[in-house]
Amino acid sequence: MFKNLKEDIEVIFEQDPAARSYLEVILTYSGLHSIWAHRIAHALFKRKFFFLARAISQISRFFTGIEIHPGATIGRRLFIDHGMGVVIGETCEIGDNVTIFQGVTLGGTGKEKGKRHPTIKDNALIATGAKVLGSITIGENSKIGAGSVVLHEVPPNSTVVGIPGRVKVQDGVKIKKDLNHSDLPDPIADRFKDLENEIAKLSFELEELRKERSMVNGHSNL
């Protein structure tokens, strides 16, 4: 237990450059408080003390702004940065070394029973405001860009952006996990760039045809 508590603190120092001291982290980091409260609530939930588990999770939600259902399974070294507005559903499964930013929802898509929330594999990063919905899997080392809405499976080592979320990068090479989630590919901007290049190419070809036509007309006049 104490090893897990220490890991929860250490991962904050690794991920957050604003962390200055153990006392500051222990007393002021709401993400850390919500994870510790969840560990207690989850233990009670597994022992079928459902009401007490929900009560603890709701008290934690009131003080931290982070709602984690006591039934959710969370691995080691989860880092919730800022955390306000984070929602993690009952059947959600989160692996080790996962990073989640504020406003993220790991939710369901309806009233179906059974496994209805996402599975987040090891080393994934879910950026600000992203929504991952349904019983889908986010593969190892993958990144979900800020504001993305993900409704389908994401392969390992992928970067997903957009609404709906599209896999933009998947090259089989582990993607570096950092906090610079503003520097992600923009598929719409990339498409506009492709169209601009195509227009430039067509304009060049049209100009060449005009030159050839002028030359032919010049020879005809001679």
Side-chain angles (χ1 to χ4, degrees):
M1 181 182 69
F2 289 107
K3 180 182 178 181
N4 289 337
L5 295 178
K6 184 179 180 182
E7 285 184 339
D8 292 336
I9 297 171
E10 288 177 344
V11 72
I12 292 175
F13 284 102
E14 293 175 10
Q15 299 278 16
D16 188 358
R20 294 179 177 83
S21 69
Y22 280 94
L23 184 63
E24 178 186 25
V25 168
I26 292 171
L27 295 180
T28 66
Y29 273 65
S30 58
L32 180 64
H33 301 157
S34 66
I35 292 169
W36 284 353
H38 173 74
R39 296 196 191 285
I40 298 171
H42 185 63
L44 292 170
F45 189 87
K46 290 195 298 183
R47 291 166 175 77
K48 301 188 183 302
F49 294 104
F50 299 126
F51 175 79
L52 186 56
R54 286 304 299 268
I56 291 174
S57 71
Q58 290 302 299
I59 292 171
S60 173
R61 174 180 178 269
F62 178 81
F63 284 105
T64 67
I66 299 168
E67 182 173 349
I68 307 176
H69 193 285
T73 301
I74 294 178
R76 297 168 49 200
R77 297 169 58 83
L78 171 65
F79 176 50
I80 301 178
D81 193 20
H82 298 292
M84 180 61 69
V86 167
V87 177
I88 299 175
E90 178 183 6
T91 61
C92 188
E93 299 176 19
I94 299 176
D96 298 335
N97 299 301
V98 171
T99 298
I100 295 175
F101 288 85
Q102 66 270 21
V104 166
T105 298
L106 305 179
T109 56
K111 297 181 179 179
E112 66 273 16
K113 299 293 184 180
K115 183 73 168 72
R116 60 190 183 279
H117 297 100
T119 296
I120 313 297
K121 295 292 187 177
D122 298 347
N123 305 309
L125 184 149
I126 317 295
T128 304
K131 314 301 178 187
V132 184
L133 306 176
S135 181
I136 61 176
T137 298
I138 306 301
E140 294 88 347
N141 310 310
S142 291
K143 288 181 180 180
I144 308 301
S148 299
V149 178
V150 183
L151 304 174
H152 302 288
E153 303 279 332
V154 174
N157 308 307
S158 300
T159 298
V160 174
V161 294
I163 303 175
R166 306 176 185 88
V167 176
K168 186 61 181 176
V169 176
Q170 185 194 2
D171 54 13
V173 177
K174 181 177 179 181
I175 297 171
K176 181 180 178 183
K177 182 184 178 186
D178 53 37
L179 302 184
N180 188 22
H181 55 85
S182 62
D183 186 21
L184 289 171
D186 185 341
I188 297 176
D190 291 346
R191 184 56 179 163
F192 277 125
K193 186 175 181 180
D194 291 340
L195 290 173
E196 288 176 357
N197 293 336
E198 188 67 23
I199 291 171
K201 180 181 176 182
L202 291 173
S203 297
F204 176 78
E205 292 177 355
L206 181 59
E207 186 63 26
E208 290 296 311
L209 289 172
R210 285 174 177 169
K211 290 179 180 179
E212 291 179 6
R213 183 177 180 183
S214 297
M215 292 177 63
V216 170
N217 290 338
H219 287 302
S220 298
N221 293 332
L222 291 175

